[in-house]
Amino acid sequence: AVARQFAKLQPGCHLALLGRSLDASSRSHGSLLGVAERCEDLGAVATAFPVDHRSGEDTRDAIKTAIFHLGGIDVLVNNASSMWTSPVASPEKMDHLWSVNTRTTLVAIQEAEAPLRMSKGSIVTMSPPLRMCNTEWIRQHPAFTVSKYGMSIATLAAASSGVRANCLWPRHFVATEATRALEHTIPGA
């Protein structure tokens, strides 16, 4: 949705789409190639870069490649995320949440910070406001919440170092494969 909105508002913009689901054969709704096609239909130039965000080095390399391919960067959107909303998470699940959510955001910001300073660009991270008073949500989803709060803190760190950086947290879920799965786990969602 974010990539399509950029394409719609800025025809001719160049987009680098990074994620794990290249899915060249079916070009499914959530695949990078499917999103790239929809963005190009709106007038953008979109390039898909497959990356395994569980690997910090893979993430770093993909971001460097994308920035080189684009010749710079104006906006970094940290949207990579893994969801695990159970109250109990195994150490392996915690590691997965940390690597995909928090570490990917930190690595992306580290790699993009200097080019963003040159372009006077911006960072937008899809992460929640730091509300420690919502203890019921935190109690029910501690591992997920810690990993998402880590994304918010990384973005605040970038903002305090002089890069324009903000977090965006939708008031309502945006329909994705992940949120459709989440709807089945949260009462009243």
Side-chain angles (χ1 to χ4, degrees), residues 15-18 49 59-76 107-116 118-119:
L15 301 171
L17 308 172
L18 284 73
F49 295 89
T59 299
R60 185 178 311 282
D61 292 345
I63 291 169
K64 282 182 179 180
T65 300
I67 292 171
F68 178 79
H69 176 80
L70 293 173
I73 183 172
D74 294 315
V75 179
L76 168 67
V107 169
I109 289 171
Q110 286 174 358
E111 290 305 316
E113 199 164 17
L116 284 168
M118 290 174 53
S119 70

Side-chain angles (χ1 to χ4, degrees), residues 11 19 21 25 42 46 53 110 146 156 163 184:
S21 54
S25 61
L42 294 167
H53 285 301
Q110 286 174 358
V146 167
L156 289 171
V163 174
H184 298 292

Side-chain angles (χ1 to χ4, degrees), residues 2-184:
V2 173
R4 287 194 319 268
Q5 190 67 17
F6 265 104
K8 188 184 297 182
L9 295 175
Q10 295 292 321
C13 70
H14 292 253
L15 301 171
L17 308 172
L18 284 73
R20 67 177 162 82
S21 54
L22 191 60
D23 198 7
S25 61
S26 70
R27 301 199 196 299
S28 67
H29 177 71
S31 74
L32 287 174
L33 292 177
V35 173
E37 283 180 5
R38 283 188 265 308
C39 290
E40 289 182 344
D41 289 345
L42 294 167
V45 176
T47 306
F49 295 89
V51 59
D52 181 354
H53 285 301
R54 296 171 298 179
S55 164
E57 282 306 310
D58 200 25
T59 299
R60 185 178 311 282
D61 292 345
I63 291 169
K64 282 182 179 180
T65 300
I67 292 171
F68 178 79
H69 176 80
L70 293 173
I73 183 172
D74 294 315
V75 179
L76 168 67
V77 178
N78 289 307
N79 194 31
S81 194
S82 181
M83 296 180 80
W84 180 261
T85 57
S86 294
V88 177
S90 68
E92 294 79 17
K93 185 54 77 174
M94 289 180 216
D95 289 345
H96 180 82
L97 288 167
W98 156 257
S99 64
V100 173
N101 297 353
T102 308
R103 186 180 61 208
T104 291
T105 300
L106 284 164
V107 169
I109 289 171
Q110 286 174 358
E111 290 305 316
E113 199 164 17
L116 284 168
R117 283 185 202 287
M118 290 174 53
S119 70
K120 296 184 179 10
S122 301
I123 297 169
V124 177
T125 301
M126 303 301 183
S127 61
L130 300 174
R131 292 190 181 134
M132 300 306 166
C133 60
N134 192 351
T135 56
E136 183 62 22
W137 173 267
I138 295 168
R139 183 185 63 77
Q140 292 177 8
H141 316 94
F144 177 70
T145 303
V146 167
S147 72
K148 292 301 282 187
Y149 277 5
M151 294 172 71
S152 298
I153 291 168
T155 304
L156 289 171
S160 68
S161 71
V163 174
R164 187 173 42 221
N166 293 284
C167 298
L168 176 64
W169 195 243
R171 182 177 189 127
H172 303 285
F173 284 132
V174 175
T176 66
E177 294 302 318
T179 59
R180 279 189 273 286
L182 182 62
E183 288 173 356
H184 298 292

